[in-house]
Amino acid sequence: MALRAPETILGLPLDHGIDIWTFGCLVYEFLTGNALFPVPNCSAVPQSRVDNDHLLQMHDTLGRLPEILCKK
């Protein structure tokens, strides 16, 4: 779950960019031993909250997300 691209979380059209995103997250995890965007794996937490927290982590790490993602 921690490898999901923002487009996947928001239900936007998918393209080769999500593969690049996932590869980058994997490389980071292999090099550091930590997930770049760790998300809880708990069934007691609603999926919408997990998705929102995941997007907030991306925003906090990368800065403002592209406008098309913010509108969604």
Side-chain angles (χ1 to χ4, degrees):
M1 242 174 136
L3 304 176
R4 295 182 303 162
E7 294 86 352
T8 305
I9 297 169
L10 296 171
L12 296 173
L14 306 178
D15 60 12
H16 69 282
I18 64 165
D19 295 328
I20 295 168
W21 177 275
T22 302
F23 179 73
C25 290
L26 281 172
V27 168
Y28 179 88
E29 192 166 339
F30 287 148
L31 293 175
T32 66
N34 298 311
L36 185 55
F37 305 110
V39 292
N41 190 10
C42 179
S43 59
V45 178
Q47 187 61 42
S48 61
R49 181 170 176 193
V50 172
D51 290 345
N52 289 340
D53 287 349
H54 199 174
L55 290 169
L56 284 172
Q57 286 180 18
M58 291 175 191
H59 179 272
D60 292 346
T61 302
L62 303 172
R64 185 165 172 82
L65 298 174
E67 193 63 32
I68 192 164
L69 298 178
C70 291
K71 287 181 181 180
K72 182 67 175 166

